[in-house]
Amino acid sequence: MPNNADGNLFGEMERIYSDTNYFIDGIIGEYGFYGDFIDSMRSGNASVSINRKTVHKTIEEQWIEAIEACIPAIDTVTRNHSVGIEEREEIVPIEFSKRISNRSIQHLAQHTDFITDMDGDMVVPSKILNVFQEETMQTYENKFVNTLIERLYSFVDRRYSALSERGTEETGAQLDFNGAFRFGPSEGKIRFSIEVSDPAGKAEEESSFSRIVRLRDILTRYLDSPFVKAMQGGYIRPPVIRTNAIVKNKYLRQCLDLWDYIESYEKVGYAIEVEEKAEKPSAEFIKELYSMLSLQYMIFDYNIHRGFNGPSQVLDAKQSDRPLEPNIVTRLQRIEAEEYNVYDTEYRRVVNVSSLTGQRRLSDSEIKIRSAVDTALAADREIESLRRKMLRQAKKTSQKTKTGEDSPV
């Protein structure tokens, strides 16, 4: 059920819609121009389509719950982080030495060049090794938590950005009209399109998205926390080493479980379903659409013929530099004899069908064709043999005649 605000808005829209139709019907009924134009559109070619689209997004809550469950553990670790002892070795002049340890003596025994004087058992060095011990946060466990925070923020931010770009659940509708018409001496085309979309998120999706926003805000604050700043970019490289401190500390173990979860999570974290429907517009809607388009045509036609002719209204204009005229060819092209040569001789290779082996069984018509081809080839061979015999005979006769003329009487 719509609330009072929605009900008031719908009532206002209904009143505006009714008044608009009343105004348009009055204008169209008063002037015959509009009726004639609408009739010309109806007699022409026109198409109209109305499509409705619903985009439904379903956010998977499993990964949200996994991160939310680990936030207390991350908070505990960052507030009660471990501290390690870092040793730093430095060779200093003997007068600046603060503490001499066994390692200092071992180092001096290996570097006797630092000894300047010896008086019995007394050794006087010029320089000596000092070992300084300092507390540090750069432990493996702290680096692991710092890396986890960085990866969690990237994991959540990517999904937050994708959902923000695509918005929440929405519904939309699109109208497309294409028409060609003849109105008086004029021919025209009308293309009209309008598309609207409205958010229509469900309560559960809005709640899931708000949880994602909250997680992103929490992780943003962790990135700006004193713990992360003190780590100064100290990270680890996967895989995570299962140290005793990580395995035996329940909070670090929770962080490790979350690490394994997001590393193995390959889904996008939400699903999008798109539903589209093509609807048939009512006759009343078509009538209203034609009426609206006739008003648009009147405004456009009036301004084309009277309103856009002023020089101050012209934004850009182009004209050819000179009149476009074709070139007249006055020279005759050279005539090539090759263009008139006719080649009517065609060479073909004829294969005796009877000589082909391994062929399929021929049909009766194919057998008759093969027999005719064989007969023709045999006749061709006979003719060729006869021609050669006649040539030989003519050659012998010619030789005999030549011999008789040259012989003495």
Side-chain angles (χ1 to χ4, degrees):
M1 293 294 293
N3 55 33
N4 293 334
D6 293 338
N8 294 336
L9 179 60
F10 181 78
E12 180 68 13
M13 288 294 294
E14 188 173 14
R15 186 178 66 83
I16 296 174
Y17 173 79
S18 177
D19 291 347
T20 302
N21 278 336
Y22 178 79
F23 167 76
I24 293 176
D25 290 343
I27 291 292
I28 292 177
E30 184 174 354
Y31 298 99
F33 168 87
Y34 292 110
D36 295 339
F37 179 76
I38 292 174
D39 290 339
S40 68
M41 281 201 301
R42 286 175 175 169
S43 60
N45 296 323
S47 64
V48 61
S49 64
I50 297 179
N51 297 324
R52 289 186 181 272
K53 181 173 68 174
T54 302
V55 180
H56 178 65
K57 299 178 179 66
T58 304
I59 301 175
E60 297 181 3
E61 297 187 354
Q62 184 179 5
W63 63 272
I64 300 176
E65 295 172 352
I67 298 176
E68 287 177 341
C70 193
I71 290 297
I74 296 176
D75 188 71
T76 301
V77 171
T78 54
R79 293 178 184 276
N80 304 281
H81 53 79
S82 60
V83 177
I85 302 298
E86 182 180 34
E87 291 187 348
R88 179 171 54 87
E89 295 182 347
E90 185 177 352
I91 299 176
V92 297
I94 188 64
E95 58 270 18
F96 294 113
S97 176
K98 296 181 179 180
R99 183 173 180 272
I100 298 177
S101 62
N102 293 334
R103 289 167 60 181
S104 302
I105 297 174
Q106 293 175 0
H107 182 269
L108 183 60
Q110 297 171 357
H111 299 80
T112 56
D113 53 314
F114 289 159
I115 300 175
T116 58
D117 190 15
M118 292 187 65
D119 185 7
D121 294 336
M122 180 66 68
V123 177
V124 181
S126 61
K127 297 180 181 179
I128 196 166
L129 174 69
N130 271 203
V131 180
F132 301 95
Q133 293 183 342
E134 298 176 350
E135 290 187 350
T136 179
M137 288 182 58
Q138 300 297 324
T139 63
Y140 186 83
E141 291 74 25
N142 290 342
K143 291 181 180 180
F144 159 68
V145 176
N146 189 41
T147 309
L148 175 63
I149 293 174
E150 182 72 25
R151 294 201 169 202
L152 277 178
Y153 176 81
S154 177
F155 181 90
V156 174
D157 184 65
R158 287 198 303 268
R159 286 153 180 81
Y160 166 81
S161 299
L163 287 169
S164 299
E165 291 175 2
R166 292 164 178 80
T168 56
E169 182 170 338
E170 62 183 31
T171 59
Q174 181 174 349
L175 166 68
D176 290 299
F177 177 88
N178 289 278
F181 62 90
R182 178 185 292 274
F183 187 57
S186 303
E187 293 184 1
K189 295 180 180 179
I190 292 181
R191 291 184 295 272
F192 177 76
S193 178
I194 185 171
E195 182 177 0
V196 295
S197 60
D198 298 306
K202 294 184 179 179
E204 53 267 25
E205 274 100 23
E206 294 296 331
S207 176
S208 298
F209 185 73
S210 64
R211 292 167 66 185
I212 296 175
V213 174
R214 176 176 173 272
L215 282 178
R216 183 174 178 272
D217 292 341
I218 292 174
L219 293 171
T220 302
R221 289 196 293 269
Y222 275 127
L223 290 176
D224 197 40
S225 64
F227 171 81
V228 172
K229 290 180 178 179
M231 290 303 299
Q232 298 178 349
Y235 301 109
I236 64 169
R237 290 185 178 181
V240 180
I241 300 174
R242 268 64 172 172
T243 63
N244 289 333
I246 294 178
V247 174
K248 294 181 178 180
N249 186 301
K250 68 175 184 177
Y251 301 113
L252 289 175
R253 196 165 57 248
Q254 281 184 260
C255 294
L256 179 61
D257 292 339
L258 181 60
W259 174 288
D260 293 337
Y261 177 79
I262 64 172
E263 286 294 306
S264 61
Y265 193 87
E266 298 179 350
K267 296 182 289 185
V268 70
Y270 61 91
I272 298 178
E273 297 178 0
V274 180
E275 180 184 5
E276 292 189 81
K277 296 179 180 179
E279 297 185 358
K280 180 181 180 180
S282 64
E284 181 66 22
F285 178 80
I286 295 297
K287 173 181 173 296
E288 295 170 354
L289 180 62
Y290 275 23
S291 298
M292 182 271 298
L293 292 175
S294 67
L295 295 176
Q296 296 298 323
Y297 176 79
M298 163 54 70
I299 296 172
F300 177 75
D301 186 66
Y302 175 83
N303 284 279
I304 280 294
H305 290 93
R306 296 172 178 82
F308 297 155
N309 294 333
S312 60
Q313 304 290 335
V314 178
L315 299 179
D316 192 11
K318 291 183 179 179
Q319 186 177 358
S320 58
D321 298 334
R322 57 185 178 83
L324 303 178
E325 297 179 355
N327 294 326
I328 300 176
V329 179
T330 58
R331 291 186 304 170
L332 297 177
Q333 299 291 331
R334 180 181 178 181
I335 300 176
E336 299 290 343
E338 187 70 18
E339 297 180 10
Y340 296 92
N341 289 342
V342 178
Y343 300 94
D344 57 358
T345 303
E346 183 178 1
Y347 296 91
R348 293 185 180 180
R349 180 173 177 268
V350 181
V351 181
N352 191 347
V353 179
S354 61
S355 65
L356 298 178
T357 59
Q359 302 296 321
R360 63 178 177 81
R361 182 180 179 84
L362 301 178
S363 63
D364 293 341
S365 60
E366 290 174 333
I367 292 175
K368 291 180 181 180
I369 295 173
R370 186 181 68 177
S371 177
V373 172
D374 290 344
T375 302
L377 291 175
D380 185 66
R381 288 195 296 271
E382 290 294 333
I383 293 172
E384 180 65 20
S385 177
L386 181 61
R387 186 180 68 82
R388 291 179 180 178
K389 186 182 294 185
M390 292 176 66
L391 288 174
R392 287 196 299 270
Q393 186 66 31
K395 186 176 181 181
K396 289 179 181 180
T397 303
S398 176
Q399 289 176 353
K400 288 179 180 180
T401 302
K402 187 175 180 181
T403 304
E405 291 176 354
D406 295 340
S407 62
V409 176

